[in-house]
Amino acid sequence: MGVEKVFTKELLDLGYISIGNIKIHLVITDVVLTTWVAMAVVVVLSFILTRDLKVKHPSTKQVLIETVIIAMAKQIKDFSQTPVFPFFSLIATMWIFVAFSNLIGMVPPFHTPTGNLSAVAGLSTITFFSIYYYGVKFHGVGYFKKFFEPVFILFPLNVVGEFGRILSLTFRLFGNMLGWDLIIAILVLLTGVLIPVPMMLFNIVGDIIQAYLFGVLTLAYIVAGLKVEEIDRKLSGLKEDWYEI
């Protein structure tokens, strides 16, 4: 079960394209297809669940969605101790997408995209560039001075440390999902069909936890190099009380 997710299956070979001296092999694999399906599901559900919203007499659907949104906002606020607005879209999307990507593997014939190293590396790359996006947004180009602190000669080590963060994030999710699937597979083999429903619930809880941890680590890497007082100063006119319900 777990091994299948490491070695992908090619579905369509689109050949090569050349960019200068670099050749790129375009191949659609089962992981790519499953990732597209997960994205489509998230987009379609987002569209459906955000229709007919009301300020008065909200539907059960709206109350449920608002509860989830407020819970995510409070988690971001409690963890970062900064205004939620700058980070909410990225972190909430990361939580939702990774959760769907984890859970879609329970639906045959799909495999979990986050159980594939390439897919997780793509998510970690988004985290990597987000760190510097927010750094420059709130601190300007001077944000990059941190690479030369506390002394100039530590520049190479600081660069290695930055890439090390992303590698650790990549292998953390990949290893956790691969190991988690192997544990579930072993438990199913040991128990047979005696307790399939508890195993499914156990798997769902684990997948959601892994998605939560990935989003929290992304947020941690982003806010680690930011000064809270600088964020508060730049967003001093922003009122955020919608999630304090």
Side-chain angles (χ1 to χ4, degrees):
M1 181 177 178
V3 176
E4 291 178 350
K5 299 182 181 184
V6 182
F7 301 101
T8 60
K9 179 181 178 180
E10 292 187 7
L11 301 179
L12 181 62
D13 191 338
L14 301 177
Y16 292 85
I17 62 171
S18 298
I19 303 177
N21 295 325
I22 302 175
K23 279 190 174 183
I24 301 176
H25 190 194
L26 300 179
V27 178
I28 296 178
T29 65
D30 55 345
V31 172
V32 174
L33 181 61
T34 304
T35 303
W36 287 349
V37 171
M39 289 190 293
V41 170
V42 171
V43 170
V44 171
L45 284 179
S46 298
F47 179 81
I48 294 174
L49 295 175
T50 54
R51 299 304 96 190
D52 300 323
L53 301 182
K54 300 175 182 178
V55 176
K56 295 182 179 180
H57 308 296
S59 62
T60 304
K61 174 194 72 174
Q62 181 177 338
V63 172
L64 177 62
I65 297 302
E66 288 179 352
T67 301
V68 173
I69 295 297
I70 290 172
M72 290 192 291
K74 287 184 175 180
Q75 284 293 310
I76 295 172
K77 177 65 176 181
D78 293 342
F79 186 87
S80 65
Q81 296 300 309
T82 65
V84 172
F85 173 73
F87 313 108
F88 182 79
S89 296
L90 174 66
I91 303 303
T93 302
M94 195 77 76
W95 274 332
I96 294 170
F97 175 71
V98 175
F100 269 93
S101 296
N102 292 349
L103 294 171
I104 199 172
M106 298 179 63
V107 181
F110 299 115
H111 295 307
T112 308
T114 45
N116 179 270
L117 189 58
S118 298
V120 179
L123 291 171
S124 298
T125 301
I126 295 175
T127 297
F128 180 79
F129 285 106
S130 297
I131 294 172
Y132 301 107
Y133 166 78
Y134 286 107
V136 173
K137 179 178 181 178
F138 290 108
H139 299 301
V141 181
Y143 175 77
F144 293 101
K145 290 191 299 183
K146 71 172 189 173
F147 286 103
F148 303 97
E149 296 173 349
V151 291
F152 180 84
I153 59 174
L154 292 180
F155 172 75
L157 292 178
N158 288 333
V159 171
V160 172
E162 288 295 309
F163 282 101
R165 286 183 180 185
I166 303 306
L167 287 176
S168 68
L169 188 63
T170 300
F171 285 105
R172 183 185 183 91
L173 181 59
F174 168 70
N176 285 349
M177 290 308 304
L178 183 60
W180 183 255
D181 288 329
L182 288 174
I183 290 173
I184 295 297
I186 292 171
L187 290 175
V188 170
L189 288 175
L190 293 176
T191 60
V193 295
L194 297 178
I195 48 174
V197 174
M199 285 296 100
M200 290 180 65
L201 294 176
F202 188 52
N203 193 28
I204 290 172
V205 172
D207 288 344
I208 292 175
I209 290 175
Q210 296 304 331
Y212 172 78
L213 291 176
F214 188 87
V216 166
L217 287 173
T218 296
L219 181 61
Y221 290 154
I222 290 173
V223 301
L226 301 178
K227 296 179 181 179
V228 176
E229 60 273 14
E230 183 66 18
I231 299 176
D232 290 338
R233 184 184 67 81
K234 289 193 174 183
L235 299 176
S236 58
L238 181 66
K239 292 184 179 180
E240 286 192 331
D241 56 0
W242 59 271
Y243 54 84
E244 300 298 340
I245 301 174

